[in-house]
Each structure stands twice: as C-alpha cells, then as structure tokens.
Amino acid sequence: MATFPRRRKPSVPKAKGGKLSRFSKIGRRVDADGNPMRRRGIYLLPNAFTTAALFCGFYAIVMAMNQRFEHAGWAIFIAMILDGLDGRIARLTNTQSEFGAQYDSLADMVSFGAAPALVIYEWSLRGLGKFGWLAAFVYCAGAALRLARFNTNIEVVDKRFFQGLPSPAAAAMVAGFVLMMSDLGFSGAELPWFSWGIALFAGLTMVTNVPFYSFKDVNFRKSVPFIAVFLIALALALVSIDPPKVLMPLFVIYGLSGYAVYAWRLAKGKPVSIVQTDDQPLDPSERR
C-alpha cells in the first residue's frame, strides 16, 4: 500500500534565543510609503475624553437655551481642555484609531461649532433678526469647513502651524467674550453689533489660509530652565485672579497673531503657504 508524506505545518517565526515571540502574530499596518496606518479598533481611554468634551458642548447648548450663559461659556472652555487631552493621551498610550479621529471631529463640531454659535445667538444676536442668525450661521459653517479641511490636509500641512484659526480657539474667543461682558455687567442686548463682529471674525478666520502657531513642536519631555516653570506658575496665577478678563484678551491676541505672522512672512518674502513641500512625512496619527 502506498504511503504519502504528511503535510508539514507552516513554520512560526521564532524570536532570538529560540523561543516564540509573544508578539509574533501582531503586525503593524503600513501604507504604500511605509508609514504606520491608523487602527480601526475602539479604545476606551481617549474616546472617554472625547465623549466628555461632546457632553460639555451639549451642556453648553442646553444652558444657552435656559439663558444661563455663564454656565454655557465655562462648559465650552472645559470642552476645549478635554479636546486638547484626548489626542495626546491617544499618542502616549499608542491607542490612535480611525474611529477616534472621526469621533473627535464630530465632537468638535458640536462643542466648537454649534454650541458657540447658539450661545452667541441666544445671548446677543437674536435681536438683530436675520443679520443675527446669519452671523451665527457663518460661524457654524466656518467651523464645519475648518474641521473638514483639517482632516483632508493633515498629511500635507506643516504641523507647526494651523491652516486658519483652530475651532477651539474660535470657540474660546466667542465664549470668552460672553463671559467677560457678563462679568462686567453688560447684557447681550447692549452689545449686538460687537457680538456680530466677533462671530463673523471668528467664523471667517477659521476658513482663511492664515497660519496660526500650533505648539505641536514643543517637546514636553525635554528639560527646561527653572524660569520656565516659574513663568507657567505665574501665568496660572494671573488667570485665576479673574479668568473672564484674562482669557478673552489672550485668545484675541492669538486670533490676531496669525495675521501678524502672515504679514511678517509676506514682508520678508517668505512663502506664506503652510503646505509642506519637503519629503518629511507627517504623523498620520495626529488627532484634532
């Protein structure tokens, strides 16, 4: 009777020393250029921060409908802090994913697009009629376009700068204006055209090509002089003295800084476009 050789099992790669590697079956997904791709899993920790930011945006909308504008303004600021943490936590814990990136953008649209537009409209712009809701819509549409452009240009834009005013800064400008004026004793009905100008400026600046420094090239793991720690403590102390009167001017300065950088580059003959032209790849795991 004829015998046939048995089929051999496929060999499993072994680690150094002859032992099987614990991570031998785990591979890194890369694109055609060899850059790591975002995973499609859902991770709890970063998405929990994104959900908290989304809740703050929804809470701001509810508070604005109930005419409690101070609560709405502070909710937007808390959402901004949470939005700054979720992406950094995802990179530190190596839990970046395509789901997280898309979820983050949708949460930003609520927290920094719809919520500030409704807050400024309910607080001051309602009395202007069509001009009021038109300014609120320009802001909301600007935030949506800004986020869509950020997602599509993330691979080609210099990560040191934002292309247009980032939506959290625009939301902080609007919310800071409401908080500061309320703290000074002004009502929204007394400042409708100032609110109209703030909403239009923030909304249109988000869709410009003006470069705004992103602070993404700051290395927080690098040692710093003692004076740097002292300046951070001093800044926190100044903000805590009177937050509404300090935060609003800070974000106004940031909102104007992009135009200053644009004018300086134009005057020096340097390229004003922040689209990256060299061969250095950007990190595709950057999250908003």
Side-chain angles (χ1 to χ4, degrees):
M1 182 175 180
T3 58
F4 300 93
R6 293 182 179 179
R7 181 180 299 176
R8 296 182 180 180
K9 295 182 179 180
S11 59
V12 180
K14 295 184 178 181
K16 294 182 179 179
K19 296 181 179 180
L20 292 176
S21 173
R22 183 180 301 177
F23 305 101
S24 59
K25 297 183 179 180
I26 301 178
R28 298 182 63 187
R29 299 179 58 194
V30 295
D31 57 15
D33 298 328
N35 298 320
M37 297 176 61
R38 287 174 178 166
R39 285 167 286 187
R40 297 186 180 274
I42 300 176
Y43 299 95
L44 176 63
L45 187 58
N47 291 311
F49 279 85
T50 305
T51 304
L54 176 62
F55 171 80
C56 289
F58 180 79
Y59 180 81
I61 293 175
V62 174
M63 290 298 102
M65 295 172 63
N66 293 330
Q67 305 297 307
R68 303 177 68 178
F69 299 106
E70 291 188 6
H71 292 75
W74 286 120
I76 292 175
F77 274 102
I78 295 174
M80 184 180 66
I81 295 173
L82 294 171
D83 178 70
L85 291 176
D86 59 358
R88 287 173 173 81
I89 290 175
R91 288 188 289 273
L92 287 174
T93 58
N94 195 25
T95 54
Q96 307 99 319
S97 66
E98 186 64 28
F99 173 87
Q102 300 302 325
Y103 183 35
D104 186 62
S105 294
L106 294 174
D108 287 353
M109 182 57 213
V110 175
S111 300
F112 310 128
L118 184 61
V119 169
I120 195 71
Y121 176 78
E122 290 287 340
W123 183 70
S124 181
L125 297 178
R126 178 186 288 272
L128 295 179
K130 293 182 179 180
F131 288 100
W133 63 256
L134 179 63
F137 173 74
V138 168
Y139 176 88
C140 189
L145 294 171
R146 168 70 177 80
L147 291 168
R149 184 177 64 177
F150 177 84
N151 290 334
T152 55
N153 289 355
I154 191 172
E155 299 289 343
V156 295
V157 173
D158 186 352
K159 69 176 182 179
R160 296 174 302 171
F161 296 94
F162 289 122
Q163 189 179 12
L165 183 67
S167 56
M173 189 182 301
V174 172
F177 178 73
V178 174
L179 290 174
M180 187 177 72
M181 293 298 106
S182 299
D183 187 65
L184 292 175
F186 293 96
S187 65
E190 299 176 297
L191 304 167
W193 291 108
F194 283 99
S195 303
W196 189 82
I198 289 288
L200 275 185
F201 174 80
L204 294 177
T205 305
M206 281 190 285
V207 297
T208 62
N209 290 323
V210 176
F212 287 87
Y213 187 58
S214 66
F215 300 97
K216 289 184 178 180
D217 59 341
V218 178
N219 188 0
F220 293 98
R221 299 181 180 180
K222 184 180 179 181
S223 60
V224 295
F226 174 78
I227 188 64
V229 181
F230 174 76
L231 292 176
I232 293 175
L234 181 62
L236 293 175
L238 291 175
V239 171
S240 64
I241 292 174
D242 198 342
K245 295 185 179 67
V246 176
L247 292 175
M248 173 60 183
L250 286 178
F251 284 101
V252 169
I253 293 173
Y254 181 74
L256 297 174
S257 65
Y259 292 98
V261 172
Y262 184 88
W264 179 79
R265 285 189 169 192
L266 201 62
K268 293 292 184 179
K270 295 184 177 181
V272 294
S273 175
I274 62 172
V275 176
Q276 186 163 322
T277 56
D278 56 14
D279 295 332
Q280 182 181 359
L282 294 177
D283 184 4
S285 63
E286 290 289 344
R287 298 180 58 191
R288 189 79 170 94

